[in-house]
Amino acid sequence: MEGEQMLARLADRGLPQPMLDAGFKGGGDFWEPWCVALADDEIASIAFAARIGDIGAEIGVVTFPRSRAQGFAAAVTAGWSSLPNLSARALFYSTARSNRSSQRVAARLGLRLIGASVRIG
């Protein structure tokens, strides 16, 4: 219910500029299931299903500039991973080698490296 109220408020007032700058266009960009962390009644960070299937799901996390380096990404990652509709799926958190902030989130949560990917082209 809280999520529905938040989406209604955002639809009524419009998305804040940091969300627009990050590429969000509206509540439809909150890919379910999602979890947010709030700071001063504003969305500080959001975790969402970047990919989801019957047996697995991969998280996507966006933390807005003024809320970075405050633990919000780890909080939404932990919150998202405990959502009941994800309990039967293998959950994945991936990060680029160059994304030190994301790597710190994974380390803070004690996530285990299971492999590396290679992108060609």
Side-chain angles (χ1 to χ4, degrees):
M1 187 62 150
E2 289 179 42
E4 292 171 10
Q5 292 170 343
M6 182 184 342
L7 289 175
R9 188 174 77 224
L10 289 172
D12 185 49
R13 296 180 188 169
L15 295 181
Q17 193 60 47
M19 294 188 79
L20 295 169
D21 293 344
F24 290 88
K25 293 177 180 59
D29 291 336
F30 287 46
W31 298 343
E32 294 186 6
W34 53 268
C35 177
V36 299
L38 300 175
D40 300 324
D41 207 31
E42 293 289 327
I43 296 174
S45 187
I46 181 170
F48 53 89
R51 292 173 185 79
I52 192 163
D54 293 337
I55 61 171
E58 181 178 5
I59 190 172
V61 178
V62 176
T63 302
F64 300 102
R66 76 175 203 183
S67 300
R68 292 183 180 153
Q70 298 178 49
F72 291 114
V76 294
T77 299
W80 182 85
S81 68
S82 67
L83 292 171
N85 49 347
L86 295 172
S87 65
R89 293 179 170 93
L91 302 179
F92 297 91
Y93 181 103
S94 62
T95 182
R97 288 183 192 263
S98 61
N99 192 336
R100 299 281 188 218
S101 297
S102 183
Q103 291 170 22
R104 283 191 294 275
V105 170
R108 182 177 200 169
L109 293 170
L111 302 180
R112 175 175 62 89
L113 176 65
I114 60 170
S117 61
V118 176
R119 186 174 300 186
I120 299 172

